[in-house]
Amino acid sequence: MRGPRPLAAMTDYSEEQRNELEALESIYPDSFTVLSEKPTTFTITVTSEAGENDENVQTTLKFTYREKYPDETPLYEIVSQENLEDNDVTGIINLLEQQAEENLGMVMIFTLVSAVQEKLNEIVDQIKTRREEEKKQKEREAEEEEKQRFHGTPVTIENFLNWKAKFDAELLEIKRKKMKEEEQAGKNKLSGKQLFEMDHNLDTSDIQFLEEAGNSVEVDESLFQEMDDLELEDEEDDPDYNPVNLDSD
């Protein structure tokens, strides 16, 4: 840390500030923006190196020179950020405070920005590590779940009683459904009278069918071709025929 300046050099603050602004503009041409001259205020956007899947983190720092800067620390704040957690933002503010105190008496904006740049790179690495750990944790949980399915759950008195209560409830519900179905089936069973009426209706339907057929019913005459050849004995020619016996009946 550099000691206090001699009194003869007190008028050099504005020149030192101006020289630093020119250097910063050349170092950060795309991210350096002057907001005002009195007091001198500007912003610098700091972006980390690309992480996994080209993901990065970013923050925009706002600096304001105090009258006696660099013998006084500049004012600084974070005006915007991307992909940073609250604890990351707090960590960056603490880092700026530490670096400003260590570099008091020297132009320090480049040093502060470089420290933040390094911090952002660390955060990206932490994000990558955290995601890898989360992925491994999920894999371990999946493996454990698979083991549980394969080996089953150890039987204890407590989980057996829980299972038994659930099983009994399911069995009771099955019995109730079966009784309800049997009761319903009993209601739908036909009585003897209904069965008789059904048979009578079947006979009626046969008669109705013949009536509706009319002359269209065909008779096979061959069934009667042998009728003439049959020898039918006359009752009087029967030697055992006795009309008296008929009267006695």
Side-chain angles (χ1 to χ4, degrees):
M1 181 183 300
R2 191 170 64 181
R5 294 169 181 267
L7 293 178
M10 294 297 290
T11 58
D12 295 336
Y13 293 133
S14 60
E15 183 177 354
E16 286 194 72
Q17 295 171 10
R18 185 168 56 252
N19 291 338
E20 184 179 41
L21 286 176
E22 292 176 359
L24 293 174
E25 188 174 7
S26 63
I27 296 172
Y28 308 106
D30 299 326
S31 59
F32 176 81
T33 303
V34 176
L35 302 180
S36 66
E37 294 182 355
K38 292 184 180 181
T40 302
T41 303
F42 54 91
T43 60
I44 298 177
T45 299
V46 188
T47 305
S48 70
E49 296 177 356
E52 187 177 10
N53 299 323
D54 294 330
E55 186 179 34
N56 54 39
V57 293
Q58 178 177 289
T59 183
T60 298
L61 306 174
K62 178 181 176 182
F63 297 99
T64 301
Y65 286 153
R66 292 181 180 178
E67 182 180 357
K68 295 182 179 181
Y69 172 83
D71 285 339
E72 293 179 319
T73 59
L75 301 176
Y76 45 80
E77 62 178 300
I78 295 177
V79 294
S80 67
Q81 57 86 13
E82 293 182 9
N83 301 324
L84 291 176
E85 303 290 341
D86 292 341
N87 60 323
D88 295 329
V89 174
T90 301
I92 292 173
I93 292 297
N94 293 337
L95 176 63
L96 289 170
E97 181 180 0
Q98 176 187 351
Q99 290 294 318
E101 291 294 334
E102 292 180 359
N103 291 275
L104 190 63
M106 298 181 292
V107 289
M108 64 181 74
I109 302 302
F110 175 77
T111 302
L112 300 183
V113 173
S114 298
V116 173
Q117 175 79 60
E118 185 176 349
K119 179 69 174 179
L120 296 183
N121 292 339
E122 292 177 0
I123 292 173
V124 168
D125 292 338
Q126 291 171 2
I127 292 174
K128 179 181 178 181
T129 301
R130 183 167 61 247
R131 288 181 177 175
E132 290 177 350
E133 287 297 327
E134 290 175 353
K135 182 179 179 181
K136 291 180 181 179
Q137 179 64 24
K138 289 181 180 179
E139 291 175 352
R140 287 193 293 267
E141 291 175 355
E143 291 177 359
E144 186 64 26
E145 184 177 350
E146 185 66 22
K147 290 180 181 179
Q148 289 292 336
R149 286 200 299 265
F150 180 76
H151 295 292
T153 304
V155 177
T156 64
I157 295 177
E158 182 179 0
N159 60 28
F160 172 77
L161 293 177
N162 291 336
W163 171 84
K164 183 68 167 55
K166 183 178 180 181
F167 175 79
D168 290 343
E170 292 177 353
L171 185 61
L172 179 61
E173 183 64 23
I174 292 174
K175 289 182 179 179
R176 287 177 178 174
K177 289 183 178 180
K178 186 176 180 180
M179 292 176 63
K180 187 174 182 180
E181 291 174 357
E182 291 176 351
E183 180 181 355
Q184 188 66 30
K187 292 181 179 179
N188 294 335
K189 187 175 179 180
L190 296 177
S191 64
K193 180 180 180 181
Q194 290 173 324
L195 290 174
F196 171 78
E197 292 177 349
M198 180 178 291
D199 291 340
H200 177 69
N201 290 337
L202 289 175
D203 294 339
T204 304
S205 64
D206 291 341
I207 297 172
Q208 183 178 1
F209 169 75
L210 293 174
E211 291 177 349
E212 292 178 352
N215 295 330
S216 63
V217 178
E218 297 181 358
V219 179
D220 187 356
E221 295 180 358
S222 64
L223 297 175
F224 304 96
Q225 290 179 355
E226 304 298 330
M227 293 292 293
D228 295 339
D229 297 334
L230 295 176
E231 294 182 359
L232 300 177
E233 295 182 353
D234 190 349
E235 292 181 351
E236 295 179 357
D237 296 334
D238 184 359
D240 296 327
Y241 174 72
N242 187 354
V244 176
N245 293 335
L246 294 175
D247 294 336
S248 63
D249 293 338

